Amino acid sequence: MRLTKAAYLLPALLMGSALAASEAILHRGGAGDPTTLDSQAAGSTTERAIMADLFTGLLALGPAGQIINGTAESWSVSKDGKKYEFQLREGLHWSDGVALTADDYVYGLRRLMDPKTGNSIASYLYCIAGAEAVHAGDQPLQTLGVRRLDKRRIEVQLAAPTPYFPEMIAMAWDPAPRHVIEKHGKGWSQPGVHVSNGAFTLAEWVPNQYVKLEKNDYFFSADEVLLDAVYHYPGEDLARSMK
C-alpha cells in the first residue's frame, strides 16, 4: 500500500497516527507476529499488510478498493481476455538505487510459484497459464505464463479469461530484487539488507515487538507520501500494543 495525497487505504485495525518532533508516524496493529519479511514467502494477513507498505505491484488498490495503477504506467487486455500486457513507469528503482525492470516482476512471480518458496497464497494466481502445475512442482518455472517483452513491458498469459485477475495482482504479485536475493540468500529480508520498491523501506524488526518502516526516497511517488515512518505491532490486543 502507498499513502499519497490522492489516495490511500487505512487498515481495518488502524491504531492511529502520532506526530513526534515534526515526524508523521503511523502505528498499525496486526493479528500476530510476522514469520518472514520475504515478500514471496509472506502469506499471513499481518505479513501481507507489511508487504503492502514495502512493495508496490503492477497494480494497486485505491481508497474505495478499486484497481489503480501501481508501477504499471498502463496495461491492456486482449479481446479474448486471456493475455495481459503491462507497461512499467519510467525511472523505477529499488530502495538501494538499482534500476527496477520487467525482469524483477517475472523473477518475483516465478519465485512466488516456486514450490521451494512455500507461499500459502500462490493459489491466488493459479489463473495464470501453468501456475498450478509449476507450484505443484510438476513443471519447470520457465513454463509459467509470464515473459519479459523488454525492460518495461511484461506479458501474462492466462489459462482462461479471469475478470478478477487485476485484483489478484494487487494482492499477491510483488517484484523481487534478484541482485540482493542471489547475493544474500535467505538473509536478504533482514534489516540492513532488505530492499523494496514501495513507499517504505525496512528499518527495524524486533520479533514480538514491532516492525519499523521508513519512507523510501526512491519510491516513484515519494513526494506524495505523507508519512515518515510506520510501525507494525504484532499484538492482537491493540491497546496493549501501544504501551
Side-chain angles (χ1 to χ4, degrees), residues 213-236:
L213 312 180
E214 295 180 342
K215 182 176 177 179
N216 176 15
D217 292 333
Y218 281 101
F219 180 52
F220 69 84
S221 191
D223 60 336
E224 295 185 353
V225 176
L226 302 178
L227 299 173
D228 297 300
V230 178
Y231 281 82
H232 287 262
Y233 299 92
E236 294 182 286

Side-chain angles (χ1 to χ4, degrees), residues 1-12 60-69:
M1 174 177 68
R2 72 170 190 259
L3 300 180
T4 70
K5 295 175 183 176
Y8 61 90
L9 288 175
L10 294 183
L61 297 177
Q66 80 277 25
I67 291 296
I68 61 174
N69 291 57

